[in-house]
Amino acid sequence: FQTVLGVPLEELNKLSPSLAQLVGGINQFTAATGIPASQLMSDVLLPNVAVSRTGYNELDLVNYNTRSLKLNASLHYRINDRVEAILQANWGNGSTVYTSSDRYQLKNFTLGQYKAEIKGSNFFVRGYTTQENSGDTYAAGILATYVNEAWKPSSPNPADGLAGLAKAWYPQYALTYAGGAFQTFVPAFQAALKAGQAPQAAYATALATVNGAAGALHNAARNTADAGRLLPGTAAFDQAVEAVKARALPNGAKFLDKTNLYHLEAMYNFNRILDPKVAEIIVGANYRLYDLNSGGTLFLKKSDGSEYNIREYGAYGQISKNFADKLKLTGSVRYDKNENFSGQWSPRLSADYSVNPNNNIRVSYQTGFRIPSVQNQYINLNTPVSLLIGGLPALWDFYKLREIGPVNLLTGQKYTFPEFKPERVLTYEVGYKGLISKRLLLDVYYYHSTLKNFKGGVLLSAAPTIPQVISMSANYTGNVKTQGFGIGLDYLFPKNFTLGANLSNNTLNAGGVTMFNNEKNMNVLDDGTEVGF
């Protein structure tokens, strides 16, 4: 300690007599035995053991009662026999407890959706907006962390110098443990020497004695560091809780989220122009805007302090054709563009064949995509568990991750930051549905899907630059395959009694791991991707 702190014992004694006594004892032991102080520190006084602060019970931080109020109203006006105008409002308010990367008290949040639409027999044009307000929502884990910090900081303030060691929780814990370990170690070492053991053997014997007393030493250290801790039910505890809940993330536990969504879409069916017996053609388009508004508590801010907006648009067309009321073929294609990702084409084909009016066979091949969610793109939230960040380059650059070169914690390899892409799926399905003996309805299907750019997350370490573990949205670099089948049976008894049963199976294969049907780790793929499937 004296070498590390560089402070004479007499000066150290003025700041902390107990620390000065411990330092003096270490120096005497090292001088008498020749055993380095560094060895004594790592083996006996400060072993490599994970220690966390004493937490609070969740029930002292949240209210488990769930309350929900939902109101809706609409106005419909018939312009003529085929066209209707609609105004609609849906509004909800409530409180509950929600589980994600933390436990969240959703308190007095509101969510409203408002729509205006013109709808005809062969078209619609609509616009709607979703308006949300997080109200008094807060993160319970972060709340507990900051209540502890409000009472006693975890680590000393550098401005306080050595005097700060007496004010911070972890130094108090460590020094108490070290002092107790030293007081246990020295008598055991001396007794072993008197028993005729060589110094190294006596050292091992004394170390074993300390290890045997480790539980009691940790309890003593925690009791010392927790002395005067804020306790639930006291005015001081309640005052600290309310103060932390009133402060917005990241300096408090309160969520500030008033993110809004605006959406426009239209569809037109050419059946009034084109004879449906020839073909049915449908076209449509949409535009969407995400207006992020969290005051920087949830989402990344731009350099000018504002938050990002996300714009996306798409269009589609579909054509279907009946052949002699036996075979129906349908083909469609759509294109979608999000400003943060490349455009996505998603064609689909399907065929339905009627063997007879009561027996049908269906076959389809379709492609689809999933744009990463707003949180997957821009979340920037430091929780007690990890630093949650989105997968866009804007987050990489904000934390200078490509310069730091963090390590994938699950593979031990340096992470290379591949392009963050939308997830894609290619699926084919075959199925049969029919009546057997007029009383038994049978419905069976089989599907197989290949997912590309499967979205999950990776855990990165950028220590010591970023002390927290980084949990970042990312794509799996390989393909993920899913397959499954289903069987449904419905039997009609006399007097219209019906008995039904069904069986379904879904299996995911990825990275050499078959999920849902064995005891292997079902959350982590071979490249360290954590899946949310």
Side-chain angles (χ1 to χ4, degrees):
F1 273 115
Q2 187 174 4
T3 302
V4 174
L5 300 177
V7 178
L9 282 179
E10 56 271 18
E11 294 296 324
L12 186 59
N13 189 58
K14 297 176 183 178
L15 297 172
S16 175
S18 59
L19 178 58
Q21 184 178 8
L22 177 61
V23 170
I26 294 172
N27 289 339
Q28 292 177 12
F29 178 84
T30 299
T33 64
I35 296 175
S38 59
Q39 180 180 349
L40 186 65
M41 293 283 291
S42 61
D43 289 350
V44 179
L45 306 184
L46 294 176
N48 185 16
V49 177
V51 174
S52 63
R53 294 196 64 167
T54 306
Y56 290 99
N57 290 324
E58 184 181 279
L59 58 86
D60 294 318
L61 301 171
V62 303
N63 185 335
Y64 292 117
N65 294 334
T66 293
R67 177 182 57 81
S68 177
L69 173 65
K70 298 177 182 179
L71 303 173
N72 61 76
S74 62
L75 175 65
H76 297 249
Y77 178 74
R78 283 281 187 180
I79 298 174
N80 56 44
D81 290 343
R82 293 191 298 268
V83 181
E84 179 183 14
I86 303 170
L87 292 175
Q88 182 174 338
N90 302 299
W91 183 88
N93 170 271
S95 298
T96 189
V97 179
Y98 166 73
T99 302
S100 183
S101 56
D102 199 338
R103 286 279 278 176
Y104 299 96
Q105 174 78 74
L106 304 184
K107 184 178 180 182
N108 300 327
F109 72 90
T110 59
L111 185 66
Q113 188 175 77
Y114 311 99
K115 180 184 75 170
E117 180 177 13
I118 301 293
K119 182 171 66 174
S121 58
N122 66 327
F123 76 93
F124 67 77
V125 178
R126 69 170 67 108
Y128 64 85
T129 178
T130 300
Q131 309 275 317
E132 61 181 88
N133 189 324
S134 56
D136 301 314
T137 296
Y138 59 88
I142 294 176
L143 171 61
T145 298
Y146 280 131
V147 168
N148 264 335
E149 294 297 323
W151 162 65
K152 182 185 292 183
S154 292
S155 55
N157 186 337
D160 292 336
L162 287 175
L165 294 174
K167 303 177 183 178
W169 194 91
Y170 281 108
Q172 287 182 357
Y173 188 107
L175 292 174
T176 303
Y177 183 95
F182 190 70
Q183 292 174 4
T184 303
F185 178 85
V186 171
F189 181 79
Q190 292 172 339
L193 289 177
K194 291 181 179 178
Q197 293 185 15
Q200 288 300 325
Y203 182 90
T205 298
L207 178 59
T209 302
V210 173
N211 290 339
L217 294 173
H218 279 292
N219 289 337
R222 186 170 297 276
N223 290 336
T224 298
D226 279 349
R229 182 169 174 264
L230 300 180
L231 298 178
T234 64
F237 175 83
D238 294 340
Q239 182 178 0
V241 165
E242 293 305 317
V244 175
K245 289 197 295 187
R247 298 198 305 268
L249 294 166
N251 299 313
K254 181 180 176 63
F255 274 75
L256 293 177
D257 189 14
K258 298 180 180 180
T259 295
N260 300 321
L261 177 151
Y262 302 91
H263 186 91
L264 295 172
E265 61 181 342
M267 182 277 292
Y268 186 80
N269 189 323
F270 286 89
N271 59 7
R272 300 188 61 82
I273 300 175
L274 182 66
D275 186 351
K277 294 182 180 180
V278 177
E280 183 181 54
I281 299 176
I282 298 174
V283 296
N286 65 273
Y287 174 83
R288 174 172 288 190
L289 170 67
Y290 297 93
D291 179 22
L292 305 188
N293 182 9
S294 71
T297 64
L298 293 177
F299 304 116
L300 179 68
K301 282 185 176 182
K302 298 179 182 178
S303 57
D304 62 4
S306 64
E307 293 194 60
Y308 288 86
N309 290 332
I310 304 174
R311 296 171 175 82
E312 59 185 38
Y313 60 86
Y316 61 90
Q318 175 178 294
I319 183 170
S320 59
K321 170 69 175 177
N322 275 306
F323 297 89
D325 292 328
K326 282 283 189 178
L327 177 65
K328 182 179 181 180
L329 298 178
T330 302
S332 68
V333 64
R334 67 173 293 146
Y335 175 80
D336 290 87
K337 180 69 175 75
N338 180 293
E339 65 177 299
N340 292 324
F341 304 96
S342 301
Q344 304 294 312
W345 290 95
S346 48
R348 305 177 185 180
L349 295 171
S350 68
D352 291 274
Y353 180 72
S354 298
V355 179
N356 56 51
N358 292 326
N359 292 271
N360 301 278
I361 299 172
R362 61 188 184 273
V363 179
S364 67
Y365 175 78
Q366 49 196 313
T367 62
F369 68 93
R370 180 171 65 153
I371 297 291
S373 69
V374 171
Q375 288 199 17
N376 294 149
Q377 294 182 51
Y378 283 115
I379 191 170
N380 184 28
L381 177 61
N382 200 347
T383 76
V385 177
S386 60
L387 171 63
L388 305 178
I389 65 173
L392 291 177
L395 275 300
W396 308 348
D397 296 338
F398 180 79
Y399 288 103
K400 297 181 172 56
L401 294 181
R402 284 180 283 195
E403 300 174 22
I404 297 171
V407 173
N408 185 326
L409 287 176
L410 296 173
T411 66
Q413 303 297 314
K414 183 177 179 180
Y415 193 70
T416 56
F417 292 93
E419 180 185 357
F420 192 39
K421 299 178 180 180
E423 185 178 308
R424 293 194 58 79
V425 63
L426 298 84
T427 300
Y428 66 82
E429 179 187 6
V430 294
Y432 164 81
K433 186 175 184 179
L435 277 173
I436 301 174
S437 301
K438 296 184 179 181
R439 287 191 175 275
L440 179 63
L441 177 65
L442 173 65
D443 189 353
V444 297
Y445 68 85
Y446 169 81
Y447 78 91
H448 185 281
S449 298
T450 300
L451 294 99
K452 299 178 179 294
N453 310 321
F454 188 66
K455 192 202 70 61
V458 293
L459 296 178
L460 306 176
S461 173
T465 307
I466 301 174
Q468 279 278 57
V469 171
I470 302 169
S471 178
M472 185 181 75
S473 297
N475 299 116
Y476 177 50
T477 55
N479 290 339
V480 172
K481 298 182 183 296
T482 66
Q483 61 180 339
F485 65 85
I487 302 173
L489 297 171
D490 289 279
Y491 188 81
L492 180 63
F493 288 95
K495 298 184 179 181
N496 292 325
F497 283 95
T498 303
L499 177 65
N502 63 78
L503 169 70
S504 64
N505 169 269
N506 300 280
T507 301
L508 182 147
N509 300 91
V513 178
T514 300
M515 305 172 76
F516 305 151
N517 62 356
N518 60 24
E519 299 299 322
K520 292 184 179 180
N521 189 330
M522 300 202 309
N523 298 318
V524 182
L525 304 182
D526 54 357
D527 70 345
T529 300
E530 292 189 313
V531 298
F533 197 102

